[in-house]
Amino acid sequence: MSSLADNLVRVEEAIAAACKAAGRARGEVELMAISKTHPTEALVEAEKLGLRLFGESRVQEFAAKSARLAVSSAVGTAATVRSQIHVHMIGNLQSNKAAKAVEVFDGIDSLDSVKLAERLDAAVAGNVVWAGKRLPVLVEIKLSVEESKAGLAPDSAELAELLERLPDLMHLEAQGLMTIAPLDVSEEETRGCFRQLRELRDALAQKHSRLHLPVLSMGMSGDFGLAIAEGATRIRIGTALFGAREYLA
């Protein structure tokens, strides 16, 4: 079985190659390590290898990991790891869990409703840890017909309302858009999905001058090269780094 260190070398080589092919600098693309379902020890090892941005999909799961990171006896030298990394929520977040999410995460990359935005804004306002800071958020866009995919449709009234509302939520910092490409489709269709997100971001940036949306989070282990070609600024890599998901209890 390949080690995380070996996997990281291969992933970095592939990212560099994709950037070169697209005429982009490697520094334009941020690597988010998707540690969901993997044990705390895997996250600790990844931090030791220099990874600093992580994605988790469940509030309860990462709350447990975060608690372990604060106990040195549980995972060796992990006590200092939490202060060295940023962990973002990438999964569907129910509005009734907004306060807990604000407690444990450094950003929310799956914002998909006005209600959730308002709940997050209120939670940040009431949390002393966030005093003087704003919570980074990405708006999740649904560009797939798959019912399992979350997010807001590009032409939906909810998206329009959310984008109008965000500048007035002073405790949130809208940074960009996120999407997940459909599964089992051609490379052309996958690339078209990523192109559509970039074009949508550009159009929204012109329409909503009060918003700054530099981040395009798109592309995963199987398609990040196509995402980089279409302008991704953040790619989310899990399996190619950590191997098959372990589905923790």
Side-chain angles (χ1 to χ4, degrees):
M1 182 178 296
S2 298
S3 69
L4 175 57
D6 292 337
N7 291 343
L8 179 57
V9 169
R10 282 191 286 269
V11 167
E12 281 291 349
E13 289 175 345
I15 295 172
C19 287
K20 183 177 180 180
R24 302 178 63 193
R26 170 64 185 89
E28 295 178 24
V29 180
E30 188 175 31
L31 171 58
M32 171 180 275
I34 305 303
S35 50
K36 66 178 184 179
T37 76
H38 293 284
T40 308
E41 290 81 358
L43 193 152
V44 172
E45 182 183 357
E47 188 275 335
K48 289 180 179 178
L49 292 171
L51 293 170
R52 294 292 181 268
L53 180 62
F54 294 82
E56 293 276 342
S57 62
R58 296 179 181 177
V59 175
Q60 186 175 0
E61 178 186 334
F62 184 65
K65 289 182 182 180
S66 186
R68 291 200 69 198
L69 291 175
V71 181
S72 60
S73 60
V75 284
T77 59
T80 61
V81 171
R82 185 66 186 93
S83 65
Q84 300 299 314
I85 62 176
H86 287 85
V87 185
H88 289 206
M89 174 70 172
I90 61 168
N92 180 256
L93 177 60
Q94 297 175 350
S95 59
N96 62 1
K97 294 184 178 180
K100 184 62 177 179
V102 164
E103 289 181 11
V104 297
F105 288 108
D106 302 300
I108 305 297
D109 290 9
S110 51
L111 179 60
D112 62 357
S113 73
V114 174
K115 181 179 180 180
L116 177 58
E118 292 175 342
R119 290 282 183 89
L120 288 170
D121 186 68
V124 175
N127 189 315
V128 296
V129 175
W130 284 93
K133 298 183 291 184
R134 301 170 72 192
L135 177 72
V137 298
L138 299 183
V139 177
E140 184 170 8
I141 304 297
K142 182 176 180 178
L143 299 175
S144 168
V145 297
E146 296 168 294
E147 292 186 4
S148 60
K149 293 290 192 296
L152 296 170
D155 57 353
S156 66
E158 179 85 2
L159 176 60
E161 182 182 357
L162 176 60
L163 294 172
E164 288 292 337
R165 186 81 177 92
L166 275 172
D168 297 320
L169 298 177
M170 302 307 296
H171 301 286
L172 303 185
E173 181 183 353
Q175 294 186 337
L177 308 179
M178 183 270 268
T179 198
I180 301 174
L183 296 172
D184 302 321
V185 298
S186 67
E187 287 192 358
E188 181 180 359
E189 188 171 345
T190 298
R191 184 162 177 168
C193 172
F194 297 144
R195 184 183 307 117
Q196 187 178 353
L197 189 73
R198 171 172 50 80
E199 292 173 346
L200 175 65
R201 187 277 308 274
D202 293 346
L204 293 177
Q206 287 189 340
K207 185 175 181 179
H208 300 272
S209 58
R210 296 171 66 197
L211 290 175
H212 182 52
L213 304 171
V215 177
L216 285 177
S217 177
M218 56 190 192
M220 300 188 293
S221 292
D223 56 20
F224 67 82
L226 300 175
I228 289 173
E230 289 298 336
T233 65
R234 178 179 297 165
I235 56 175
R236 308 181 301 273
I237 308 299
T239 302
L241 284 172
F242 298 106
R245 296 177 184 173
E246 298 192 16
Y247 294 102
L248 301 175

